[in-house]
Short mmCIF file of all heavy atoms in Angstrom, two decimals:
data_model
loop_
_atom_site.label_atom_id
_atom_site.label_comp_id
_atom_site.label_asym_id
_atom_site.label_seq_id
_atom_site.Cartn_x
_atom_site.Cartn_y
_atom_site.Cartn_z
N ALA R 1015 5.03 0.53 18.36
CA ALA R 1015 3.92 0.98 19.19
C ALA R 1015 2.97 1.81 18.33
O ALA R 1015 3.30 2.94 17.94
CB ALA R 1015 4.45 1.80 20.37
N THR R 1019 -2.29 2.41 21.58
CA THR R 1019 -1.95 1.20 22.33
C THR R 1019 -1.22 1.56 23.62
O THR R 1019 -0.66 2.65 23.74
CB THR R 1019 -1.05 0.27 21.49
OG1 THR R 1019 0.21 0.93 21.28
CG2 THR R 1019 -1.70 -0.09 20.16
N PRO R 1020 -1.21 0.64 24.59
CA PRO R 1020 -0.44 0.89 25.82
C PRO R 1020 1.05 1.13 25.54
O PRO R 1020 1.68 1.95 26.21
CB PRO R 1020 -0.66 -0.39 26.64
CG PRO R 1020 -1.98 -0.91 26.18
CD PRO R 1020 -2.03 -0.59 24.70
N ALA R 1021 1.61 0.43 24.55
CA ALA R 1021 3.03 0.62 24.23
C ALA R 1021 3.29 2.04 23.74
O ALA R 1021 4.32 2.64 24.08
CB ALA R 1021 3.47 -0.40 23.17
N PHE R 1022 2.36 2.59 22.97
CA PHE R 1022 2.50 3.97 22.49
C PHE R 1022 2.50 4.93 23.68
O PHE R 1022 3.33 5.85 23.76
CB PHE R 1022 1.36 4.30 21.53
CG PHE R 1022 1.54 5.58 20.75
CD1 PHE R 1022 2.00 5.56 19.45
CD2 PHE R 1022 1.22 6.81 21.31
CE1 PHE R 1022 2.15 6.73 18.71
CE2 PHE R 1022 1.37 7.99 20.59
CZ PHE R 1022 1.84 7.95 19.28
N THR R 1023 1.58 4.72 24.61
CA THR R 1023 1.51 5.56 25.81
C THR R 1023 2.79 5.47 26.61
O THR R 1023 3.32 6.48 27.10
CB THR R 1023 0.30 5.16 26.68
OG1 THR R 1023 -0.89 5.30 25.90
CG2 THR R 1023 0.20 6.01 27.93
N THR R 1024 3.34 4.26 26.76
CA THR R 1024 4.59 4.08 27.49
C THR R 1024 5.72 4.85 26.83
O THR R 1024 6.50 5.53 27.50
CB THR R 1024 4.95 2.58 27.56
OG1 THR R 1024 3.91 1.89 28.26
CG2 THR R 1024 6.27 2.35 28.26
N ALA R 1025 5.81 4.76 25.50
CA ALA R 1025 6.85 5.49 24.77
C ALA R 1025 6.64 7.00 24.93
O ALA R 1025 7.60 7.75 25.20
CB ALA R 1025 6.85 5.09 23.31
N HIS R 1026 5.41 7.44 24.80
CA HIS R 1026 5.09 8.86 24.95
C HIS R 1026 5.51 9.38 26.31
O HIS R 1026 6.11 10.45 26.44
CB HIS R 1026 3.59 9.10 24.74
CG HIS R 1026 3.15 10.46 25.16
ND1 HIS R 1026 2.70 10.73 26.45
CD2 HIS R 1026 3.09 11.64 24.50
CE1 HIS R 1026 2.41 12.01 26.54
NE2 HIS R 1026 2.63 12.57 25.37
N ASP R 1027 5.19 8.63 27.35
CA ASP R 1027 5.48 9.08 28.71
C ASP R 1027 6.97 9.21 28.98
O ASP R 1027 7.38 9.95 29.89
CB ASP R 1027 4.84 8.13 29.73
CG ASP R 1027 3.32 8.22 29.74
OD1 ASP R 1027 2.77 9.17 29.14
OD2 ASP R 1027 2.68 7.33 30.33
N ALA R 1028 7.80 8.51 28.21
CA ALA R 1028 9.25 8.59 28.40
C ALA R 1028 9.90 9.71 27.57
O ALA R 1028 11.09 9.98 27.73
CB ALA R 1028 9.89 7.25 28.03
N MET R 1029 9.12 10.35 26.70
CA MET R 1029 9.67 11.42 25.86
C MET R 1029 9.81 12.71 26.63
O MET R 1029 9.05 12.98 27.56
CB MET R 1029 8.74 11.69 24.67
CG MET R 1029 8.70 10.64 23.65
SD MET R 1029 7.55 11.18 22.34
CE MET R 1029 7.17 9.60 21.62
N LEU R 1043 5.11 4.69 16.73
CA LEU R 1043 6.44 4.98 17.25
C LEU R 1043 7.22 3.68 17.20
O LEU R 1043 6.72 2.64 17.62
CB LEU R 1043 6.36 5.49 18.69
CG LEU R 1043 5.54 6.74 18.93
CD1 LEU R 1043 5.41 7.02 20.43
CD2 LEU R 1043 6.16 7.93 18.21
N LEU R 1045 10.64 2.05 18.61
CA LEU R 1045 11.80 2.16 19.48
C LEU R 1045 12.91 1.35 18.83
O LEU R 1045 12.76 0.16 18.55
CB LEU R 1045 11.49 1.62 20.87
CG LEU R 1045 10.73 2.55 21.81
CD1 LEU R 1045 9.35 2.88 21.28
CD2 LEU R 1045 10.64 1.95 23.19
N ALA R 1093 13.98 4.60 31.47
CA ALA R 1093 12.56 4.36 31.75
C ALA R 1093 11.97 3.39 30.73
O ALA R 1093 11.19 2.50 31.10
CB ALA R 1093 11.79 5.68 31.73
N LEU R 1094 12.34 3.53 29.47
CA LEU R 1094 11.84 2.62 28.44
C LEU R 1094 12.41 1.21 28.64
O LEU R 1094 11.70 0.22 28.50
CB LEU R 1094 12.20 3.13 27.05
CG LEU R 1094 11.44 4.39 26.61
CD1 LEU R 1094 12.01 4.93 25.31
CD2 LEU R 1094 9.95 4.10 26.46
N ALA R 1097 10.41 -0.20 31.50
CA ALA R 1097 8.98 -0.39 31.18
C ALA R 1097 8.76 -1.59 30.27
O ALA R 1097 7.76 -2.29 30.40
CB ALA R 1097 8.42 0.88 30.53
N PHE R 1098 9.69 -1.82 29.35
CA PHE R 1098 9.53 -2.94 28.42
C PHE R 1098 10.34 -4.17 28.87
O PHE R 1098 10.43 -5.14 28.13
CB PHE R 1098 9.91 -2.51 27.01
CG PHE R 1098 8.90 -1.59 26.38
CD1 PHE R 1098 9.15 -0.23 26.26
CD2 PHE R 1098 7.67 -2.07 25.95
CE1 PHE R 1098 8.22 0.62 25.70
CE2 PHE R 1098 6.73 -1.23 25.39
CZ PHE R 1098 7.00 0.13 25.27
#
Side-chain angles (χ1 to χ4, degrees):
T1019 66
F1022 192 99
T1023 301
T1024 298
H1026 168 269
D1027 291 348
M1029 289 180 201
L1043 301 173
L1045 280 63
L1094 289 172
F1098 289 105

